[in-house]
Amino acid sequence: MAGHLLAVTEQELFNTTLHGFQVISVFIFCALFLVGSPYGSQTDYNGVLTINGRVAWIAMELVSPAVLAYSYFSQDPLSALHSKAMLLPFARDKEPQGSLVFVCLWMIHYLNRAVVYPLRQPSRKRMHIGIMLIACMFNAVNGYLNGRWLRVVGPDTAPPGARGWRFVLGVSLFIAGFAGNIHHDNTLMRLRSKPSTSGTAGGGSGSTSNKVGRNGSGGSSRYLVPYGAMFAFVSCPHFFCEAVEWTGFAIASGSPAAWAFVLNVVCNLAPRAYFIHQWYVRTFPEYPGSRKAMIPFVF
């Protein structure tokens, strides 16, 4: 009976947190369009409340895989909040063979996003500590929801080979989005590491299709116009690819927590893509007018 009550309690907490997560995503979407993008090229704030951008990024992104792993492998990750639950196992537990594959996909993404990506960046602006703390809270909630759904809240999971077309489609989208994200991140990092020039970023006078990028009107070596791959269609293909990646994860897993994450990714990245696109247009007079912000031909 005690185990059953614990299960009901966590199920209620899970449902409430999931619904709140969805509502907050919509609120964030509206708020970001009003106040603008709070970090990166869209801000010049460098006050006393900022910290090293690379350190802040690594710290806040590592929260997600850490909490997901703890929520997935722990029988009762909330035991510290109610001492009586420390000796009571969760009422149901799934065999890890079916859901563990999604934990691996999650860890692969965050190994790149939290460690490899920031360490490879040529530079990173300082970040307001408030932004970092908000991101930490978001990642903790997201990790908890997805970890607990995969292990105990969601339905029993069949082995990967028995999942059918949804698993194949979802994982294929995840891999494509992951690869696209890395490719376009690499393009941006190459441009930011180039020396300042007054013409083509790669030197010479090749055609536009062969150009890697151009300097802005101020001759900055930090931000250049990227070309190639999906940059032909949108200003932020790395954002689009990340949305595709997590959509694939949600399709393959069938998790409402994963779909809530997709909603949050879009609600966070779409306003940021809009402001980055507007910044490109203002900063570079010859910026391609056919490009959209994030979604090809649409937005």
Side-chain angles (χ1 to χ4, degrees):
M1 176 62 70
H4 177 68
L5 291 177
L6 177 61
V8 171
T9 300
E10 184 163 2
Q11 180 70 67
E12 292 174 347
L13 174 64
F14 178 91
N15 291 337
T16 301
T17 305
L18 179 62
H19 294 152
F21 196 60
Q22 294 166 333
V23 171
I24 289 175
S25 297
V26 177
F27 172 79
I28 289 174
F29 178 81
C30 298
L32 288 178
F33 267 114
L34 292 176
V35 303
S37 182
Y39 62 93
S41 64
Q42 307 306 294
T43 180
D44 293 320
Y45 180 76
N46 197 31
V48 295
L49 294 180
T50 62
I51 61 176
N52 181 281
R54 200 185 309 271
V55 172
W57 182 272
I58 292 174
M60 72 188 196
E61 291 296 321
L62 282 177
V63 171
S64 180
V67 173
L68 181 131
Y70 179 64
S71 297
Y72 183 85
F73 291 107
S74 173
Q75 283 190 325
D76 181 19
L78 302 177
S79 60
L81 301 180
H82 39 76
S83 58
K84 291 183 179 180
M86 295 182 71
L87 301 176
L88 299 175
F90 203 94
R92 63 187 294 266
D93 195 10
K94 295 185 292 189
E95 290 296 324
Q97 62 173 347
S99 55
L100 189 58
V101 63
F102 297 109
V103 176
C104 293
L105 292 177
W106 193 280
M107 296 303 168
I108 289 171
H109 170 86
Y110 277 99
L111 174 64
N112 174 68
R113 180 55 55 190
V115 181
V116 178
Y117 168 70
L119 293 180
R120 292 183 62 232
Q121 282 188 302
S123 62
R124 189 168 191 92
K125 283 188 174 181
R126 295 179 66 81
M127 183 182 295
H128 194 290
I129 192 171
I131 300 299
M132 186 197 74
L133 293 176
I134 291 172
C136 286
M137 289 188 289
F138 158 76
N139 285 329
V141 172
N142 191 40
Y144 165 77
L145 289 173
N146 280 277
R148 291 314 271 171
W149 193 92
L150 288 172
R151 190 58 188 258
V152 294
V153 179
D156 291 329
T157 312
R163 292 174 181 272
W165 67 268
R166 287 188 178 85
F167 179 78
V168 175
L169 173 62
V171 172
S172 298
L173 286 174
F174 181 92
I175 293 172
F178 181 73
N181 197 323
I182 292 176
H183 174 79
H184 294 102
D185 278 343
N186 287 343
T187 298
L188 293 173
M189 284 189 278
R190 284 197 301 269
L191 293 184
R192 292 180 63 185
S193 64
K194 285 184 174 294
S196 178
T197 62
S198 58
T200 304
S205 57
S207 64
T208 301
S209 61
N210 293 326
K211 292 175 182 176
V212 179
R214 298 177 183 171
N215 285 321
S217 57
S220 171
S221 62
R222 186 176 181 85
Y223 295 106
L224 304 170
V225 176
Y227 289 89
M230 285 191 64
F231 282 112
F233 306 103
V234 292
S235 297
C236 300
H238 47 317
F239 292 172
F240 175 76
C241 289
E242 182 153 354
V244 169
E245 181 183 356
W246 290 115
T247 298
F249 185 93
I251 292 173
S253 66
S255 166
W259 281 113
F261 186 23
V262 173
L263 174 65
N264 196 283
V265 166
V266 173
C267 287
N268 272 278
L269 296 186
R272 179 161 170 74
Y274 171 80
F275 287 110
I276 289 176
H277 179 72
Q278 296 301 315
W279 179 86
Y280 272 127
V281 171
R282 291 194 309 269
T283 305
F284 302 94
E286 297 181 7
Y287 193 73
S290 60
R291 290 189 193 180
K292 297 296 184 179
M294 177 175 165
I295 304 175
F297 312 112
V298 177
F299 167 76

